[in-house]
Every structure is written in C-alpha cells, then in structure tokens.
Amino acid sequence: MKLTRWAASVEKPDASYSVGWSCGKETLANGRYDTLKGSYYAQPIHDAEFERKARELYPDCIEMTSPNVWPSENALPGFEQFFEQLCHIIVDTAALVARSCDRYGVAKLEGYQTGTLENIVRTSVSTKARLLHYFPPPPLKSEDERPDSAMATDDDWCATHHDLGALTGLTCQMFVDEEAHRPFAKPDRSGELPPLPELENHPDPKTGLWIKDRSGRTTQIHIPRNCLAFQTGQALELITRGKFKAVPHFVRGTTADKGGRIARNTLAVFTQPNLWELVDERRDFATLAQAVLGGTV
C-alpha cells in the first residue's frame, strides 16, 4: 500500500504517463498490459522561454510539455540530481555524435545546414529521458506458457519498434540479482542510497538489447560498462531524407528457470526536435509525434 501511494504521487495520467512513473500502462502487441517493466520519464533540458513557447503553441501535446515530477528527497534521496546529471552527460556526448552526423549531412544532402542536428540535441526542450527497470521474470504458469503480460516471442521485454526522436543515448545494461540483493535499501550516513552489486552478465546470454539491420537480420548489442551507445530514430531519418535510417530494436527477456530473480536496468535519453521544428517539408515534430503516438504512421 505504501508503494502504491508513492507511485500515485509521481504518476501523471493527464500526460499519458509519459512524465514521472509508469508501470502497466502500455499495451504490448498482443493487447495485454506490460507489467514486466517500470519507467520513470523526465525532460532533462530546461529553457524557460522554449518551454513556455511549447505550451502556448501546442496546448494539447501534454506528453511533451508537462513539467517534470520527482519523488521527495525522503523517498529517494538524490534521485532528481543524479538523474539529471547523467542525462546531461549523455546529451553532451550526443552533441558530439550529432556534429559528425551533421558533417555527413552537409557532404551528402543538398541544402543541409551545418549544425542542424547538434543544435537539436543541445537546445531542444522536447528531449525525453526514460529510466527503465525490467522486473525479474515471474514464474511460468505452465511449462510452455509465458506470463500474461508477456508475448511468446523474442521481444517480450520490449517489443520491436523505432525510436521517435533523432539520436537516442543508451547506457549499458545493469543486471542485479534481486534474490541476493533485495532492492529495499535505506540511506546510509551520507543520506544516499547504497549501490546494488551488479552482475557481470546475465546467465541467459541472449537476454538484452537486439537490433535489426536493413535486411531484417538481428544482432545482439553489448554496451561495455561505463560506455554509452547511440542509435538513430525516425526524426533523424526524416531530417536527413533517409540517409540515416531509424533502427528497429527490441529487448529480449528470459524466463524464471533461466534468469532467476535478475532485473535489468538502463537509461535511455531520446534527443528530439522542439515541437515547432520541421522534420520534413510539411511536418513539424509535434505532428510527427502525435501521428506516431496515435498509431497513424
């Protein structure tokens, strides 16, 4: 009950649960609610003038314009500070990647403006961060049946999809054995929560992030610890007229008999254009976002 009250205090139903805490609100390809992961969403780039402009021009785009909500310091000491610090590291690194993409765009695309993507990455208040916790798999109901909230496919932890934005920054995946290290720690004398010991890898070697190339072949992605990876999204594909392609990807889960009580944790930062910025000759990013989120593209 205490956890339920905490979750309710940081949920934003009016923003379609795309700000703050979200769990069991998304539907999978089979129509069932996804209860196998929890997400915490926030927009880490702040500019009062741009934020006001977005709210005034796009009052119905609440998912992109709603202010962040954070748990209290008593509930999660340091959470807001550390969340935004890590996001800023990822955004600053993404800007360097974007600079290289811009050089390619200038060389290959007529009329492409120097600094197009780097400016989006550095200044857009639409950039969205998603801290993800994939819960340990529940026991199977029978020998060959997946849990109700999962699909009987390889993408049961996260279905195959394209990211909406320009560049997505990803941390390495952090696996924690919650049987050995229960995630109910209390702050130490410094007031901070102690870190949970990480596993070097998952006992099921196929668990984790996979991508598909242009021919449909799948490749597992291993991001080294203390490293970042970046992948391209739909907005960048449109901005570069298809020179960069949005990467289809999914997260493969496991079953309790293979994975025990092991959880997966990661942070994704989706750098996205400001809502009013054009992604092609006729659409701004708000139009693209509403079409994608509404399932019309």
Side-chain angles (χ1 to χ4, degrees):
M1 182 63 71
K2 186 176 181 181
L3 180 60
T4 302
R5 288 198 301 268
W6 173 86
S9 71
V10 288
E11 287 181 332
K12 299 200 79 170
D14 60 329
S16 302
Y17 300 95
S18 292
V19 177
W21 173 249
S22 175
C23 182
K25 309 301 181 184
E26 298 176 71
T27 54
L28 298 169
N30 59 3
R32 293 173 175 171
Y33 286 105
D34 180 9
T35 58
L36 289 185
K37 62 178 175 289
S39 303
Y40 206 97
Y41 293 95
Q43 291 175 205
I45 306 301
H46 305 294
D47 181 300
E49 181 180 348
F50 279 6
E51 289 167 318
R52 182 171 57 254
K53 180 178 179 179
R55 288 192 298 270
E56 291 175 352
L57 292 178
Y58 304 93
D60 296 328
C61 202
I62 301 174
E63 298 92 337
M64 298 286 186
T65 60
S66 182
N68 293 331
V69 59
W70 300 103
S72 69
E73 280 295 302
N74 289 334
L76 279 177
F79 180 74
E80 177 181 357
Q81 175 189 354
F82 295 140
F83 189 112
E84 292 211 330
Q85 282 180 352
L86 181 53
C87 287
H88 291 161
I89 291 172
I90 294 172
V91 169
D92 288 345
T93 308
L96 302 178
V97 177
R99 189 177 300 171
S100 294
C101 295
D102 281 333
R103 285 198 292 266
Y104 181 84
V106 169
K108 299 294 184 179
L109 290 166
E110 183 178 353
Y112 189 93
Q113 297 297 309
T114 301
T116 295
L117 183 58
E118 183 177 357
N119 183 65
I120 288 172
V121 170
R122 289 192 183 278
T123 67
S124 176
V125 296
S126 296
T127 287
K128 180 84 72 173
R130 184 181 188 183
L131 182 64
L132 286 149
H133 176 78
Y134 296 80
F135 296 103
L140 295 180
K141 290 185 174 181
S142 66
E143 186 175 343
D144 58 356
E145 184 182 0
R146 292 276 192 174
D148 283 345
S149 60
M151 297 179 292
T153 62
D154 281 343
D155 58 0
D156 51 3
W157 250 351
C158 184
T160 304
H161 66 286
H162 301 89
D163 288 343
L164 170 63
L167 288 174
T168 300
L170 299 166
T171 63
C172 63
Q173 51 194 359
M174 174 183 174
F175 292 115
V176 175
D177 185 347
E178 293 190 353
E179 186 71 38
H181 307 285
R182 301 193 68 196
F184 299 106
K186 294 183 179 180
D188 57 24
R189 290 183 179 180
S190 70
E192 297 180 359
L193 294 171
L196 293 171
E198 293 182 50
L199 298 174
E200 286 298 321
N201 47 54
H202 197 284
D204 182 349
K206 293 185 177 180
T207 295
L209 177 65
W210 292 71
I211 64 172
K212 293 184 179 181
D213 66 17
R214 298 186 187 190
S215 66
R217 292 175 299 186
T218 58
T219 301
Q220 189 173 14
I221 302 300
H222 297 284
I223 305 172
R225 191 172 294 184
N226 298 323
C227 293
L228 299 173
F230 293 88
Q231 65 186 16
T232 49
Q234 294 178 79
L236 183 59
E237 179 172 335
L238 290 170
I239 290 168
T240 61
R241 295 166 240 164
K243 290 296 184 182
F244 288 97
K245 293 291 187 182
V247 178
H249 57 284
F250 61 92
V251 181
R252 186 185 186 278
T254 188
T255 52
D257 59 320
K258 294 181 180 179
R261 296 288 301 162
I262 296 173
R264 177 181 184 264
N265 305 276
T266 188
L267 175 65
V269 178
F270 308 97
T271 65
Q272 304 177 147
N274 282 304
L275 295 175
W276 56 86
E277 292 181 299
L278 294 177
V279 294
D280 58 25
E281 292 182 352
R282 58 186 178 84
R283 288 182 295 177
D284 57 21
F285 181 66
T287 303
L288 173 66
Q290 289 169 337
V292 171
L293 297 175
T296 59
V297 295

